Amino acid sequence: MRIGCPKEIKTHEYRVGVTPATAREAIARGHEVFMETGAGGGAGFPDADYLAIGAKILPTAAEVFETAEMIVKVKEPQAVERKQFREGQVLFTYLHLAPDPDQTRDLLESGVTAIAYETVTDRDGALPLLAPMSEVAGRLAPQMGAWTLQKSNGGRGVLLGGVPGVGPAKVAVIGGGVVGTHAARIAAGMGAEVTVLDLSLPRLRHLDEVFGSVFRTRYASKGNTEEIVADSDMVIGAVLIPGAAAPKLVSRAQLSTMKPGAAIVDVAIDQGGCFETSKATTHDDPVYEVDGIMHYCVANMPGAVARTSTIALTNATMPFMLALADKGWKKACGDDKHLLAGLNAHAGRVTYAAVGEALGIEAITPEAALRF
Ligand SMILES: NC(=O)c1ccc[n+]([C@@H]2O[C@H](COP(=O)([O-])OP(=O)(O)OC[C@H]3O[C@@H](n4cnc5c(N)ncnc54)[C@H](O)[C@@H]3O)[C@@H](O)[C@H]2O)c1
């Protein structure tokens, strides 16, 4: 199969859908890989690295779209990219169609077969192509919070690990899922005193069994949350209710109970955030202050560490990309119901029920799409 990977064009997106390592695997199986020149540059992969393993470099995105039978990307295609898809071509990338009627309309009009990273499932019902980005955001959260806590950045002037004779900072993590676990682990590793709050007792049990005394767990009742938030130097928001906006767990009034200059890192901001005072920020201007509390609310945190994020993402997408290339999308999806769960659109039809519902478009089942 001819696999194509254009350079990402969304502002400040430096990740790339195919690395030299994943291109090499595809080429070893007899496929061809066409990269737009400079596509991997932002993640530290120059054209020469792709050429060295036998990929071809094309001078424009248009030539990549024209040449490739399957396009592999990171972010949802932008309007100018969407015009270049055609029926019979496969698109494998993050799509997030439910809140995006314009993108959905364009993909349906093009007839492209679109498989979304974010709806591919695994045996446990989890989302294996979202998890790597949650791991990155979780591990990054204490690092960004530590920076926010520095006096020169408006923070409290507290060092996470303390020093001999000076106690460590207190960090609260609300939500002990993928983001929360990784955030807690790193914050504890930096020497902070960490408490993870979650509403799921099985989750708290699991964390306690795995991490022992590395950090504490508390049930996320209103009372416990209020008490721990007021006592913390940094609060990391990491809750998720699948398919819903994040619940607001800390009100504006509660900010006045917090320590002046404390830092909030609201990782759940991509679902609206779990603090009443959260609003999405960008890497250019990540932090703002409300009532003396510093808020870091970047909606695409993994973009800050584009190289790590690219490698983590492509480690997860590669087996699916290879299956799609080896077998063609129909057989690959027919053989693997978890990959089939990623199918969002085919030949002008929506094939993912929740996208159809959100946009008021009649959807067909992905199984039905395998028949035409
Ligand atoms: N900002 C970014 O760059 C970025 C990157 C990756 C993920 N995220 C977001 O981070 C959030 C967490 O993702 P995840 O992968 O860890 O999800 P997850 O499903 O693994 O974990 C969510 C946890 O929140 C808990 N929870 C739900 N409601 C709660 C409540 N009211 N109080 C306490 N705990 C509660 C759940 O029990 C679960 O353990 C999501 O909103 C995700 O979209 C943001």
Side-chain angles (χ1 to χ4, degrees):
M1 185 182 272
R2 292 191 303 277
I3 302 168
C5 178
K7 188 171 160 60
E8 294 295 322
I9 54 173
K10 208 168 170 183
T11 321
H12 287 308
E13 182 53 67
Y14 301 108
R15 289 174 293 176
V16 62
V18 178
T19 60
T22 53
R24 185 178 163 180
E25 301 270 349
I27 291 165
R29 295 156 91 112
H31 306 296
E32 287 181 284
V33 175
F34 296 88
M35 304 294 301
E36 180 183 351
T37 183
F45 299 115
D47 287 354
D49 289 7
Y50 290 96
L51 287 169
I53 51 89
K56 299 186 177 68
I57 304 291
L58 295 177
T60 62
E63 283 161 275
V64 173
F65 283 103
E66 174 65 33
T67 308
E69 295 161 273
M70 172 164 69
I71 297 286
V72 180
K73 270 175 55 61
V74 178
K75 294 305 279 185
E76 70 281 1
Q78 305 300 294
V80 51
E81 296 176 313
R82 302 195 298 253
K83 289 199 188 84
Q84 304 179 69
F85 293 129
R86 57 179 180 269
E87 188 152 353
Q89 199 171 37
V90 174
L91 168 65
F92 190 40
T93 191
Y94 285 122
L95 288 174
H96 298 288
L97 289 180
D100 196 344
D102 292 348
Q103 188 198 166
T104 307
R105 184 201 56 227
D106 288 354
L107 293 185
L108 295 181
E109 272 173 16
S110 73
V112 73
T113 299
I115 302 171
Y117 292 165
E118 72 274 9
T119 63
V120 172
T121 52
D122 68 15
R123 230 180 279 144
D124 306 322
L127 303 169
L129 304 189
L130 269 189
M133 294 306 99
S134 286
E135 291 166 353
V136 169
R139 290 190 176 207
L140 194 54
Q143 189 174 317
M144 300 327 288
W147 181 86
T148 305
L149 275 176
Q150 290 175 27
K151 197 72 194 166
S152 53
N153 299 321
R156 208 168 139 64
V158 165
L159 182 62
L160 274 199
V163 288
V166 182
K170 291 184 180 172
V171 174
V173 180
I174 312 180
V178 181
V179 168
T181 305
H182 284 268
R185 225 183 111 179
I186 294 297
M190 290 166 91
E193 195 182 304
V194 182
T195 305
V196 177
L197 293 135
D198 204 297
L199 278 181
S200 160
L201 281 177
R203 190 67 205 161
L204 293 178
R205 255 181 222 122
H206 171 79
L207 292 176
D208 186 76
E209 269 161 28
V210 174
F211 292 98
S213 57
V214 172
F215 50 78
R216 294 172 205 167
T217 59
R218 293 284 292 275
Y219 185 68
S221 62
K222 275 199 170 34
N224 282 345
T225 307
E226 272 171 25
E227 176 199 321
I228 290 163
V229 165
D231 192 37
S232 294
D233 300 285
M234 184 196 303
V235 184
I236 298 174
V239 300
L240 177 67
I241 300 176
K248 302 289 177 208
L249 301 175
V250 178
S251 67
R252 177 159 191 171
Q254 261 173 281
L255 297 190
S256 64
T257 69
M258 293 177 70
K259 300 176 185 173
I264 283 173
V265 180
D266 197 351
V267 185
I269 189 65
D270 62 340
Q271 301 292 330
C274 53
F275 300 81
E276 188 187 346
T277 43
S278 294
K279 61 174 179 11
T281 59
T282 62
H283 292 294
D284 284 339
D285 191 10
V287 175
Y288 63 95
E289 180 252 312
V290 180
D291 299 343
I293 305 301
M294 305 312 295
H295 293 55
Y296 175 98
C297 302
V298 173
N300 65 332
M301 291 175 67
V305 287
R307 187 175 171 86
T308 302
S309 299
T310 291
I311 299 169
L313 175 64
T314 55
N315 284 345
T317 56
M318 189 180 78
F320 297 106
M321 177 185 88
L322 293 178
L324 289 164
D326 288 351
K327 302 179 179 178
W329 78 270
K330 264 189 197 169
K331 179 146 176 51
C333 289
D335 286 353
D336 179 356
K337 64 178 184 199
H338 299 298
L339 182 55
L340 183 62
L343 189 67
N344 275 229
H346 169 61
R349 305 296 301 270
V350 169
T351 56
Y352 196 79
V355 170
E357 259 165 52
L359 297 174
I361 301 172
E362 195 190 336
I364 59 168
T365 63
E367 288 80 7
L370 293 177
R371 295 195 283 273
F372 67 94

